[in-house]
Amino acid sequence: MNTIILAGGKSSRMGQNKALMRIGGIRVIDRIAAELGPESDRMIVIADDPAQYEHMDAVILEDAPDFKGQGPLAGIYTGLKEAGDGPCLIVACDMPFVSARLGCELVSILKRNDRDAVVPIHEDRLHPLFAAYDARAAETAKETLMDGKRSVKALLDRIDVEYFTIQGESDAVWNMNTMEEYIQAAKLAGRGDGNDL
């Protein structure tokens, strides 16, 4: 599979680039890469400022020029287009405890059932930014953006999606948007939860 990390830029709520914040002494994006890299044929990072990620063993891209700055859907389109074909795991850069096991399970369902996407649900909430997508969904993502729709949900409404319910507690799809959540993530990492990095 290709792993596509949406690195984005400065978060309005956090006030800084979440991908570069450190948890347990390791930048969040490097935690994600360490967890998913061994399962990935190729890693693609979509970033506002590619220079900050040059240290990574990954293809570093900015959003496609036509859709620059148009949010996660633009990043999904850019990543899927770069992947070209086959299964891709999309992951947002603010998820410090992503699970390779869960990611591989989503990709396995995608391939087995020939879906355009497999999106996890946890505690009644969709997580389309830690989900498996077939690269063929790039064209529909482009059409969605060209129609002026920027939400990932607008893409999901147009493609063949299977929803996968995560049972019980799970840090794998937990994301941090505020400084309070960042502090919570640091505590979780210190306790040895998540992916133990």
Side-chain angles (χ1 to χ4, degrees), residues 7-73:
K10 187 171 279 192
S11 159
S12 55
R13 280 196 280 173
M14 190 71 81
Q16 57 185 295
N17 188 339
K18 293 181 283 188
L20 304 180
M21 297 176 79
R22 293 181 182 272
I23 293 177
I26 303 168
R27 299 191 314 180
V28 175
I29 196 163
D30 294 327
R31 293 173 66 92
I32 294 169
E35 175 72 8
L36 300 176
E39 306 296 337
S40 306
D41 299 316
R42 188 164 59 139
M43 193 159 285
I44 300 166
V45 175
I46 312 298
D48 288 348
D49 183 1
Q52 300 201 61
Y53 306 98
E54 286 176 347
H55 70 288
M56 298 181 69
D57 181 17
V59 177
I60 316 293
L61 297 172
E62 293 184 72
D63 283 339
D66 289 349
F67 308 117
K68 192 165 175 56
Q70 293 191 29
L73 184 57

Side-chain angles (χ1 to χ4, degrees), residues 4 11-12 14 31 35 39 50 55 57 60 62 98 113-114 127 134 143 154 157 169 173-174 196:
I4 300 166
S11 159
S12 55
M14 190 71 81
R31 293 173 66 92
E35 175 72 8
E39 306 296 337
H55 70 288
D57 181 17
I60 316 293
E62 293 184 72
V98 294
N113 297 342
D114 194 26
H127 292 278
D134 192 283
E143 291 166 4
D157 288 343
E169 291 288 313
V173 291
W174 186 81
D196 292 325

Side-chain angles (χ1 to χ4, degrees), residues 2-192:
N2 288 293
T3 293
I4 300 166
I5 304 177
L6 305 180
K10 187 171 279 192
S11 159
S12 55
R13 280 196 280 173
M14 190 71 81
Q16 57 185 295
N17 188 339
K18 293 181 283 188
L20 304 180
M21 297 176 79
R22 293 181 182 272
I23 293 177
I26 303 168
R27 299 191 314 180
V28 175
I29 196 163
D30 294 327
R31 293 173 66 92
I32 294 169
E35 175 72 8
L36 300 176
E39 306 296 337
S40 306
D41 299 316
R42 188 164 59 139
M43 193 159 285
I44 300 166
V45 175
I46 312 298
D48 288 348
D49 183 1
Q52 300 201 61
Y53 306 98
E54 286 176 347
H55 70 288
M56 298 181 69
D57 181 17
V59 177
I60 316 293
L61 297 172
E62 293 184 72
D63 283 339
D66 289 349
F67 308 117
K68 192 165 175 56
Q70 293 191 29
L73 184 57
I76 289 173
Y77 163 65
T78 304
L80 295 179
K81 183 170 179 264
E82 171 66 22
D85 61 49
C88 301
L89 184 68
I90 297 281
V91 55
C93 69
D94 60 358
M95 306 178 83
F97 307 116
V98 294
S99 158
R101 183 194 58 74
L102 176 59
C104 289
E105 189 168 3
L106 298 173
V107 166
S108 176
I109 295 167
L110 181 89
K111 294 194 290 189
R112 185 168 66 244
N113 297 342
D114 194 26
R115 302 292 193 190
D116 294 327
V118 178
V119 176
I121 299 174
H122 184 243
E123 295 177 345
D124 298 323
R125 188 174 162 210
L126 292 181
H127 292 278
L129 299 185
F130 185 69
Y133 293 79
D134 192 283
R136 67 188 178 215
E139 193 56 37
T140 308
K142 181 180 180 181
E143 291 166 4
T144 304
L145 287 161
M146 290 180 72
D147 287 344
K149 299 179 187 302
R150 293 171 54 174
S151 75
V152 180
K153 180 71 167 58
L155 170 63
L156 299 181
D157 288 343
R158 296 179 174 206
I159 61 177
D160 178 20
V161 183
E162 180 168 333
Y163 294 98
F164 175 85
T165 301
I166 301 172
Q167 305 291 346
E169 291 288 313
S170 177
D171 291 335
V173 291
W174 186 81
N175 66 319
M176 51 180 213
N177 290 305
T178 64
M179 191 55 70
E180 289 73 21
E181 288 170 342
Y182 171 63
I183 292 166
Q184 186 182 347
K187 287 178 181 173
L188 286 171
R191 209 173 66 211

